[in-house]
Amino acid sequence: MYEVRVEAEFAAAHFIRDYNGKCENLHGHNYRVMVHVRGQKLDGGGMLFDFARLKRALRDACGELDHSNLNDIASFAQNPSAERIAEHIFKKILSYLPELSGTNSDCPTLHAVDVYETPTSRARFTAE
């Protein structure tokens, strides 16, 4: 099994409703996002998936979130947790690169999106 990973960053504000702690207040993070693609076969050039295409899709997905209040984005249902952000970016990547959806077992698939709120706190959304 081969795996490639690209990463990007964005800055955004959010608050978590019903948290009963300091994260209920508006605050911000410099998020780091990693996208993992897996597959069994390499293409004719010896690559699993083009880094440039994957990076562009990730930058576009993160760019939509950058310098925003994440609570204003409907898909987060007023609770933009790192878990929901990871799922949101996962779905965006698939909308930009539908060939990673796993419909063909010979093709690489989008395996996971990791979202780091801090260097030591990560949430992951996977295709499984």
Side-chain angles (χ1 to χ4, degrees):
M1 177 73 67
Y2 298 97
E3 181 174 311
V4 296
R5 184 194 85 191
V6 298
E7 62 183 86
E9 296 181 352
F10 71 95
H14 75 150
F15 58 92
I16 305 295
R17 294 184 183 277
D18 304 317
Y19 180 75
N20 298 319
K22 65 182 184 175
C23 291
E24 245 181 348
N25 300 318
L26 182 66
H27 63 284
H29 296 282
N30 292 317
Y31 292 94
R32 192 168 106 225
V33 181
M34 297 179 185
V35 173
H36 304 261
V37 171
R38 287 185 175 173
Q40 296 283 349
K41 294 184 179 184
L42 302 180
D43 66 14
M47 295 186 296
L48 178 65
F49 197 80
D50 183 7
F51 281 128
R53 290 187 63 219
L54 192 56
K55 283 191 247 184
R56 188 169 36 255
L58 177 57
R59 279 194 300 265
D60 288 350
C62 289
E64 295 175 0
L65 305 177
D66 193 36
H67 284 81
S68 70
N69 178 346
L70 298 174
N71 291 74
D72 293 338
I73 298 172
S75 65
F76 297 134
Q78 284 295 310
N79 273 322
S81 62
E83 293 87 346
R84 284 186 169 154
I85 296 167
E87 178 183 16
H88 176 86
I89 293 172
F90 189 100
K91 290 177 178 177
K92 283 288 184 179
I93 298 292
L94 284 182
S95 74
Y96 299 141
L97 303 169
E99 67 268 32
L100 294 179
S101 66
T103 57
N104 180 346
S105 62
D106 287 341
C107 293
T109 59
L110 180 57
H111 172 68
V113 171
D114 296 329
V115 172
Y116 287 81
E117 282 192 347
T118 71
T120 60
S121 299
R122 178 206 77 176
R124 172 176 273 195
F125 185 84
T126 67
E128 301 165 343

